[in-house]
Amino acid sequence: MKSDPNVFAGIMATDVRAVEHALDDAIAAGGQMLQNFAQGRRSANLGVRVGQPALVKMMGALSAVVEARGGVASAHDLMAATARRHGLSYVNAGPFEDKGDPDEKEDPRVLTLVGS
């Protein structure tokens, strides 16, 4: 017996949302760990070089998680477009948050203000 294609679409929508949320949680946990690292090293009166190689590795890993988040968001856009082309509905799996316009470019002035 074949299953309803809309049920499959709903399962995929729920799964991709779970992956997006897991990556957001990983980014948040990584940020908390970095904060604890910086503050903890100082409060423990350890030298500035203590843990530096591990910190560099962690920053690289967290950067990869941020890149992965963007890749998952792009895959999500492709999955949604495929569902639309095939007339599939996944609304029963909602509610969903707005992903924003995938073609919208970030305002570089915002990044400059945050980074300065």
Side-chain angles (χ1 to χ4, degrees), residues 9-34:
I11 291 168
M12 290 297 91
T14 300
D15 288 349
V16 75
R17 182 178 55 194
V19 171
E20 289 167 344
H21 289 183
L23 290 169
D24 282 342
D25 290 345
I27 292 166
Q32 182 64 54
M33 191 231 38
L34 293 173

Side-chain angles (χ1 to χ4, degrees), residues 12-78:
M12 290 297 91
T14 300
D15 288 349
V16 75
R17 182 178 55 194
V19 171
E20 289 167 344
H21 289 183
L23 290 169
D24 282 342
D25 290 345
I27 292 166
Q32 182 64 54
M33 191 231 38
L34 293 173
Q35 180 178 345
N36 290 339
F37 179 92
Q39 292 173 341
R41 183 199 57 76
R42 282 195 318 256
S43 68
N45 201 29
L46 295 171
V48 70
R49 289 187 178 88
V50 171
Q52 182 65 21
L55 183 60
V56 169
K57 288 286 186 188
M58 183 58 69
M59 290 300 296
L62 290 174
S63 178
V65 173
V66 171
E67 288 291 326
R69 181 181 179 268
V72 170
S74 293
H76 189 164
D77 292 338
L78 292 171

